[in-house]
Structures are given as C-alpha cells and as structure tokens.
C-alpha cells in the first residue's frame, strides 16, 4: 500500500487551492448574501480558470482537459469543494462525463463548447414523482417519423437556467423482465429554444446560495433522431457507464468543505481564550477536535481508496456508496461541531461556517440519499450470501 | 539566450512559524514547504522572456535537500524547460549558506553559460539577501538588485530598482545577475495540463562534490527567538482622549 502523493498530485492541489483562495473566496460573501452570481463575474473567473487549466480539468487531454486519473481528479474536486458551490461549479465547470458518450458530431456541438466555457450542460432526470425511483419517471418520448416527440416535466434540474442545452432522460416504452415490466429510458440532447421546451425557475432552497435549480417542461417538443445520446432505449446504460464516479465527486467536495471547517475550528480553539486559557485546552473542545479530525481522515481514506479502485477497474457500487455516505455525514458532523466550538460567532455569515452547515444538508440527499447508499451497501453484502 | 533561475524550497509563507524549543532554529518537521515567493517571480519573468522570444531556454536549479525536486517540478510545471538539483544536505533543518550557494551557482553558470541569472532578492526563511550579490562578485558580472521592471535590449538590461522611497533605473551590461522584487510580476498558476507534462521534462541530479564546492557551514546560529507578542490595546472614551494619549503618551503627534 502506498499513501503518498505524487509530485503531480501535490502540484494539482497547490494550484487548485491557490486558485480557490485567491479567485473564489473573495466573492463568497457577496454571492451568499445576494444569492446571485453575476455573469460578468462568472466570465472573469472563467477566463482565469481556463488559463490555469482548471476549467473542465475532469476531461481527457484529447478534448482539452487535464487528463487526470480518478484520484488526482478527486484531489482537485476536494480543493474546489472548499469554496461556495455556485462559484466553483459555474466558474470552474466540470462538464458531465456523459458528454463523452456522444458521437463525434455531438461532441463538437455539445461537449466542446462546454469545455471552452461557452456554455454549460445540465442533466434532467428527476421528476416530481420520480426521485430515488428514477425508473418511475413519467416524462416520455415517442417516435414520429424520423423525430422524437418529448412530453413531461422534470424538476430540481441544477443549473438549467445557465445551460445551453439539457440531456433529458425520457421513458420510451416498457420491456418485460423476470422481475416484471421495466421502463426503457432514452437520453436526448435538447437545445434551449427548441419549440415545446420551457425552462422555469425552480425552488429557493437552504443549501448552496447562488446555485439554481429549474423546472423543465416538454410539451410536444420535437427533436431529430440525431439528438439521441447513445442508443435509443439505452439511456440508463449510458448513464451508468459514463456517470460512474459522481458519488465520489460529491464525497471529495464534502471533504474539502469539512477540512475548511475543521481548520477554522482548530485555529479558533487555539486562539480564543476564556477563563484564562485557550478554549482548545478544555477537554470539551479538544475531544471534539480529535473526533472531527479522525472522522475526516476515515472519510478521506474511504474516498481515496474507492478512487484508486475505480482506476484499477475493481471498484464496487458499495465502495462508492460508502465514500459518499461517510463523507457527507462527516461533513454534517464537522460543520455542526465547528459552529459549536465557535459559539455565537459560528452562526454569523462573516465566517463561512454557517453556510458550510447549510450546504452540508443537501449532500446527504442529492446524488443518492443516505438511505439509498445504505441500501446499495447492504444489498451488496446480502447478495453475496444469496440474500 | 539561456536564463538560469535558482529556486529555493522554503517554509510556506502561510505557515505559522514555530521556533524549536531549544532555540536552535525554526521547526520544519511536517511543515508545508513551497517555492520561495521571490524565486517564483523570477521563474515567471524568465518564462515571460521566453514567451517574448528574448530567452531561448529556462533552466532552474535548486540547492538543498532531495525534496527540493518538488520545487523544481513546480518550476517546470510553470514553464521552465529543465532542472538541476544539487543535493547538498539530507536534513531539512540544514540551511546551505549564501556563499556556498553562490559558489555552486557560479560553477553551474560556467557549465551552462546563461546570458542572464534571475534570482529572488532573498529567501523568506533566513532573509539573507546575499546570494545574488555574492554570485555577481564570484563571476565578475554586473548586478541589478530589487528589480521591479526588466527590459533586455541586446547586450544591456534596463532594470528599475525598488530603493527606499522611490525607484531607480539603471542599465547593466549583459551577462548579468538580476535579483527580483515583489512587484516585478504576478506569477502564473502552474496549469493542470502543464503539471502533467512537467513529468517528462529533464531533471539532473548532482552533488556539491560534482562541482568541487565545500558546503560546510561557516556561520553558527546562537539563538532563535519568537518575535515579541503584541501588547493588549486599550479603549479610549473620546477623540480628545485619543489625541491627548497620542500626544503625551505615545509621542507620535
């Protein structure tokens, strides 16, 4: 076993951390207070991120990305994760890997503009009636001549207001399986402005200010067959093949935010004096710090191990679920305890802790709830015994 | 023209420095180390000279522990072409003194024949501010220290120097040693694709013996102490009281 970082990984961390601290942190408070990310600010930071090779660095080198292995990519995600989500997601975007599944024409039309920072992508899966149970989706597409006609509603669609197009997952029929009828799903590229496709403002929410979600409505929206991503009826296969490590991405961003909260708590505990000594000398505080550091390390090790296995081709669903589950829960614990150590000051928005605490909440819900992750882990345990 | 840039691995400027209990120096165990920020500015300037077509090759050199190769890799990732590591000690606590560094650099200069040596004006660990000047003396080359602007025109360099209370512009004959100050440029980030490419750039490993230089210390540190802590402030009740205190107690107005 080898736990050291390579020179490249260390430099990736240095560059990303420096960028986050210099280019993103100064804008956090304004974004948090206004809930809005101005376009000129996005463009300014975007240009700097492109110059630093941080923009779309998740992509392979042949399409203009950094060509990182999974562990190196996640180390970069951890550093980005320290900052306000809207800032790092929008200004240092990582286009979805699913765009790599496209044909050469689709890559030119959809992937490359995302990599160049000309537009953003968004994935439309969730519906009001279909969350964890994605196969329960009602939005559908039917073939009509050479075209497909899309109907239905998607919601909670992240960044759809900025995105120039969406990848919409639609039910396209049913097939019989030994476990009963199963919906067939197809993924479609739908350009903003296509007739019958409407993007409406979504909901205001507690986490990630400046981040937006939207409601997408398809009303007899007609797209050509060339807009199918992958093969018809194989939408889930495309997603499973290409979206593999998104749980690890969430885990890594949680680790960065948790580390930022922990470092703030350590500094505060060392400096803040009450009753004639630094509060870190009180066992009530020092034991909290020990537990926070230990839990963070445990979550990191789970995440890095899953990343390493991902590249070896030996990762299991349970490995990735464990990493996401642990990292999101550890973040919640550390954010809460860091505020406790800071006392009243921890709740003021001059410090990033109150937002880290708010932001932590969604991490146990999106990209698979904690319950779904536990289901995946236990299913793998039981299946091995025929259960 | 080839540009040689010496870079030093020092305690990261963000690290809260702690003095060792026995006062023999600063505790460097398990502390984040980075490229000396002034050296980073020198590397940036060299790369810009190359981008402008003034320089043809940027060679970086570091003298110290083996881990200094991390610092060299960072310089390569920023855009330097190749690196030389002179492993002069195996203890992170041992600082190679300016005279030994200058002698080694003089030997490297003889071997590499650069037209320009760009150094940081000083390293932020010991603040010696001596290596560039000593190198100039050893080589018999001109020197221009504390540069905030550098223009190379044929066989002369026009250098704007940051001196107390103002700027001084001088012209020096090439080849020359320029030590750089904080405002010369803003170093770029080592970009992620360049970080990945830096792995393939050559890094030569040398020792002081290869250059016949003795790096044994000539200075001995008697004592290292923390800066005095800041005294507690006081609150004043009114502007009049503030003015009175500044006048009578602080004596500043």
């Amino acid at each position: 076993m080898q736990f050291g970082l390579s020179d490249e990984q260390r430099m990736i961390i240095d560059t990303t951390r420096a960028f986050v601290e210099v280019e993103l942190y100064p804008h956090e408070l304004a974004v948090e207070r206004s809930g809005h990310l101005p376009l000129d600010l996005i463009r300014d930071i975007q240009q700097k991120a492109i110059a630093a090779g941080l923009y779309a660095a998740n992509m392979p080198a042949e399409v203009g990305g950094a060509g990182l292995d999974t562990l190196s990519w996640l180390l970069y995600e951890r550093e980005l994760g320290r900052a306000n989500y809207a800032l790092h997601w929008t200004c240092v975007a990582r286009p979805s890997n699913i765009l790599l599944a496209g044909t050469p024409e689709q890559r030119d039309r959809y992937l490359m503009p995302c990599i160049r920072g000309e537009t953003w992508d968004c994935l439309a899966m969730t519906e009001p009636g279909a969350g964890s149970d994605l196969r329960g989706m009602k939005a559908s597409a039917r073939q009509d001549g050479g075209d497909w006609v899309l109907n239905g509603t998607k919601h909670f669609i992240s960044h759809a207001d900025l995105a120039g197009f969406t990848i919409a997952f639609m039910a396209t029929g049913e097939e019989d399986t030994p476990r009963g009828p199963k919906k067939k799903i197809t993924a479609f590229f739908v350009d903003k402005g296509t007739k019958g496709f409407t993007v409406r403002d979504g909901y205001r929410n507690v986490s990630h200010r400046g981040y937006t979600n939207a409601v997408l409505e398809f009303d007899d929206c007609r797209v050509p067959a060339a807009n199918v991503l992958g093969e018809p009826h194989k939408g889930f296969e495309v997603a499973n093949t290409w979206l593999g490590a998104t749980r690890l991405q969430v885990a890594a961003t949680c680790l960065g935010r948790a580390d930022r909260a922990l470092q703030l708590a350590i500094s505060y505990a060392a400096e803040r004096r009450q009753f004639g000594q630094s509060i870190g000398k009180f066992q009530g505080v020092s034991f909290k710090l020990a537990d926070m550091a230990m839990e963070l390390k445990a979550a990191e090790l789970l995440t890095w191990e899953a990343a390493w296995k991902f590249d070896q081709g030996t990762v299991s669903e349970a490995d990735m679920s464990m990493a996401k589950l642990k990292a999101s829960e550890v973040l919640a614990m550390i954010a809460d305890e860091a505020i406790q150590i800071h006392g009243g000051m921890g709740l003021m928005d001059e410090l990033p802790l109150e937002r880290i605490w708010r932001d932590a909440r969604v991490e146990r819900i999106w990209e698979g709830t904690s319950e779904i992750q536990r289901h995946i882990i236990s299913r793998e345990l039981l299946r091995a015994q025929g259960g | 023209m080839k540009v040689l840039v010496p870079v030093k691995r020092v305690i990261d400027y963000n690290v809260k420095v702690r003095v060792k209990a026995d006062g023999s120096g600063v505790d460097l165990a398990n502390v984040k180390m980075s490229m000396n920020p002034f050296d980073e500015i020198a590397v940036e300037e060299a790369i810009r000279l190359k981008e402008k077509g003034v320089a043809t090759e940027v060679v970086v050199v570091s003298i110290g522990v083996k881990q200094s190769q991390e610092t060299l890799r960072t310089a390569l990732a920023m855009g330097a072409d190749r690196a030389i590591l002179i492993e002069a000690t195996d203890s992170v606590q041992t600082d190679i003194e300016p005279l030994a560094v200058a002698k080694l650099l003089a030997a490297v200069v003889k071997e590499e024949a650069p037209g320009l040596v760009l150094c940081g004006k000083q390293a932020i660990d010991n603040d010696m501010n001596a290596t560039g000047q000593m190198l100039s003396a050893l080589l018999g080359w001109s020197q221009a220290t504390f540069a905030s602007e550098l223009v190379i025109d044929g066989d002369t360099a026009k250098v704007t120097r940051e001196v107390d209370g103002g700027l001084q512009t001088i012209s020096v004959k090439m080849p020359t040693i320029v030590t750089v100050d904080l405002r010369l440029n803003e170093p770029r980030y080592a970009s992620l694709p360049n970080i990945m490419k830096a792995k393939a750039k050559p890094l030569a490993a040398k020792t002081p013996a290869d250059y016949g230089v003795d790096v044994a210390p000539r200075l001995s540190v008697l004592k290292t102490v923390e800066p005095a802590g800041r005294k507690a402030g006081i609150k004043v009740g009114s502007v009049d009281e503030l003015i009175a205190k500044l006048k009578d107690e602080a004596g500043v107005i």
Side-chain angles (χ1 to χ4, degrees):
Chain A
M1 254 185 252
Q2 205 272 102
F3 291 102
L5 295 176
S6 68
D7 279 349
E8 289 73 37
Q9 288 166 335
R10 183 187 47 73
M11 286 190 276
I12 288 166
I13 292 172
D14 284 350
T15 288
T16 316
R17 173 89 61 99
F19 191 90
V20 164
E21 288 178 352
V22 174
E23 313 292 352
L24 303 187
Y25 283 0
H27 304 292
E28 283 185 323
L29 194 54
V31 173
E32 290 293 333
R33 286 186 176 171
S34 68
H36 176 64
L37 199 53
L39 193 62
D40 52 348
L41 177 67
I42 295 175
R43 292 298 179 207
D44 181 44
I45 301 175
Q46 219 180 11
Q47 287 315 309
K48 292 176 184 166
I50 290 170
L54 289 166
Y55 205 85
N58 60 315
M59 285 285 146
E62 66 265 25
V63 292
L68 307 177
D69 57 46
T70 303
L71 179 54
S72 304
W73 166 55
L74 291 177
L75 291 168
Y76 148 93
E77 291 288 346
R78 178 183 62 177
E79 297 311 318
L80 292 175
R82 293 173 189 277
N84 163 286
Y85 175 83
L87 273 167
H88 77 74
W89 190 89
T90 315
C91 308
V92 196
R94 284 83 78 201
S96 172
N97 280 353
I98 204 168
L99 295 167
L100 291 164
T103 61
E105 292 74 26
Q106 288 172 337
R107 280 189 175 199
D108 283 348
R109 185 157 173 205
Y110 296 106
L111 171 63
M112 298 315 290
C114 291
I115 291 174
R116 292 192 296 261
E118 293 159 12
T119 192
W120 290 266
D121 57 304
C122 70
L123 260 56
M125 293 189 185
T126 307
E127 295 179 9
S132 296
D133 178 20
L134 258 184
R135 292 244 189 219
M137 68 172 60
K138 292 207 173 63
S140 65
R142 63 183 162 79
Q143 234 160 343
D144 182 42
D147 296 339
W148 290 83
V149 179
L150 283 48
N151 277 291
T153 302
K154 299 282 178 185
H155 82 160
F156 291 168
I157 307 309
S158 302
H159 330 292
D161 56 336
L162 275 171
F165 64 93
T166 185
I167 298 166
F169 288 76
M170 297 284 180
T172 49
E174 254 182 14
E175 61 188 340
D176 285 324
T177 72
R179 287 190 286 165
K182 201 164 99 175
K183 277 190 179 139
K184 293 193 279 190
I185 310 286
T186 305
F188 298 93
F189 285 108
V190 187
D191 295 279
K192 200 172 261 180
T194 305
K195 193 166 171 254
F197 172 40
T198 316
V199 178
R200 284 198 290 115
D201 286 348
Y203 317 89
R204 294 179 67 86
N205 68 95
V206 70
S207 298
H208 297 321
R209 291 204 181 131
Y211 146 87
T212 54
N213 63 75
V215 178
L216 271 50
E217 278 167 4
F218 300 89
D219 180 16
D220 281 336
C221 173
R222 184 175 286 270
V223 297
N227 281 29
V228 172
L229 174 61
E231 284 177 42
H233 314 306
K234 300 283 184 203
F236 262 175
E237 287 77 355
V238 173
N240 287 338
T241 307
W242 294 93
L243 293 181
T246 48
R247 269 171 285 166
L248 298 182
Q249 182 178 24
V250 171
T253 53
C254 287
L255 296 176
R257 234 172 303 138
D259 185 55
R260 187 168 174 198
L262 173 60
Q263 296 310 324
L264 285 167
I266 294 169
S267 306
Y268 193 75
E271 281 163 22
R272 168 79 169 171
R273 295 179 72 82
Q274 291 286 275
F275 305 104
Q277 61 179 2
S278 67
I279 61 169
K281 292 232 163 71
F282 293 106
Q283 206 174 61
V285 171
S286 66
F287 278 19
K288 277 187 202 303
L289 290 173
D291 285 342
M292 291 155 82
M294 177 180 66
E295 290 292 327
L296 180 58
K297 185 174 245 185
E300 279 184 345
L301 290 173
L302 279 174
T303 309
W304 303 155
E305 191 228 27
W308 181 81
K309 281 181 162 178
F310 194 90
D311 282 338
Q312 306 300 309
T314 58
V315 77
S316 70
E317 289 297 315
D319 290 330
M320 293 194 283
S321 286
M322 283 184 190
K324 194 268 178 180
L325 176 61
K326 183 71 180 172
S328 58
E329 296 199 338
V330 163
L331 168 61
M333 182 278 265
I334 289 180
D336 194 68
E337 294 288 43
I339 287 179
Q340 198 65 24
I341 289 170
H342 278 76
M345 203 56 219
L347 295 168
M348 305 300 131
D349 76 353
E350 275 79 4
L351 288 175
L353 290 172
E354 64 88 26
R355 83 146 176 92
I356 291 175
W357 181 70
R358 279 186 290 105
D359 292 353
R361 196 62 193 86
V362 73
E363 310 294 353
R364 287 184 283 155
I365 295 174
W366 68 5
E367 216 52 50
T369 60
S370 291
E371 292 70 31
I372 284 287
Q373 307 304 341
R374 286 190 166 86
H375 164 73
I376 293 170
I377 297 163
S378 58
R379 185 180 62 188
E380 204 166 293
L381 297 172
L382 293 165
R383 267 188 192 164
Q385 297 296 320
Chain B
M1 177 185 71
K2 191 191 282 187
V3 183
L4 184 73
V5 187
V7 295
K8 186 177 183 185
R9 181 178 188 264
V10 297
I11 191 163
D12 187 87
Y13 71 94
N14 280 315
V15 170
K16 220 170 165 182
V17 172
R18 284 178 41 211
V19 171
K20 285 200 286 187
D22 64 2
S24 63
V26 166
D27 192 356
L28 294 175
N30 297 317
V31 165
K32 182 173 163 55
M33 306 289 281
S34 297
M35 191 190 306
N36 176 36
F38 292 112
D39 299 348
E40 221 175 327
I41 294 169
V43 172
E44 173 67 31
E45 195 66 15
I47 297 166
R48 288 187 190 185
L49 287 173
K50 194 182 166 193
E51 286 168 348
K52 276 188 239 162
V54 177
T56 51
E57 190 185 24
V58 177
V59 180
V60 285
V61 56
S62 191
I63 297 158
V65 288
K66 192 174 182 188
Q67 295 92 310
S68 299
Q69 68 168 281
E70 292 175 2
T71 311
L72 291 170
R73 287 279 173 216
T74 302
L76 293 173
M78 285 174 74
D81 297 295
R82 73 191 158 83
I84 302 166
L85 168 68
I86 305 176
E87 197 181 332
T89 173
D90 50 15
S91 163
V92 288
Q93 297 292 349
T94 306
D95 194 47
I96 309 299
E97 291 170 6
L99 184 59
V101 171
K103 284 178 181 170
L104 284 167
L105 291 176
V108 173
V109 165
K110 276 180 189 134
E111 209 170 84
E112 295 283 344
L116 172 67
V117 181
L118 272 172
C119 320
K121 69 166 181 178
Q122 66 200 61
I124 61 164
D125 49 5
N126 284 337
D127 278 349
M128 291 284 197
N129 185 357
T131 304
Q133 293 87 331
M134 287 179 172
L135 177 61
S136 157
L138 289 172
L139 291 171
W141 285 14
S142 59
Q143 59 169 295
T145 51
F146 315 134
S148 65
E149 205 186 332
L150 167 66
V151 180
I152 292 174
D153 184 14
D155 60 357
T156 60
K158 202 170 89 182
V159 179
T160 305
R161 304 180 61 236
E162 300 217 342
V163 292
D164 281 349
L167 298 173
Q168 178 192 49
T169 304
I170 61 170
S171 176
V172 289
K173 207 164 149 286
M174 304 282 281
T176 188
I177 317 278
V178 176
T179 79
V180 309
D181 215 322
L182 201 60
R183 278 157 287 271
L184 180 62
N185 61 47
E186 268 186 52
R188 71 195 60 195
Y189 298 102
S191 85
L192 263 52
N194 286 342
I195 287 171
M196 302 311 283
K197 281 178 214 152
K199 203 177 186 169
K201 292 184 178 176
L203 190 154
K206 302 273 190 182
T207 64
D210 294 335
Y211 300 100
V213 174
D214 173 16
V215 297
R218 276 134 175 102
L219 306 172
S220 57
V221 174
L222 302 180
K223 198 164 67 169
T224 309
V225 290
E226 303 248 6
R230 194 167 156 265
K231 285 192 192 131
I234 52 160
K235 273 189 180 170
V236 291
S238 66
V239 174
D240 289 341
E241 193 190 337
L242 173 67
I243 291 170
K245 281 193 186 298
L246 288 174
K247 226 181 222 165
D248 306 332
E249 289 177 28
V252 290
I253 54 173

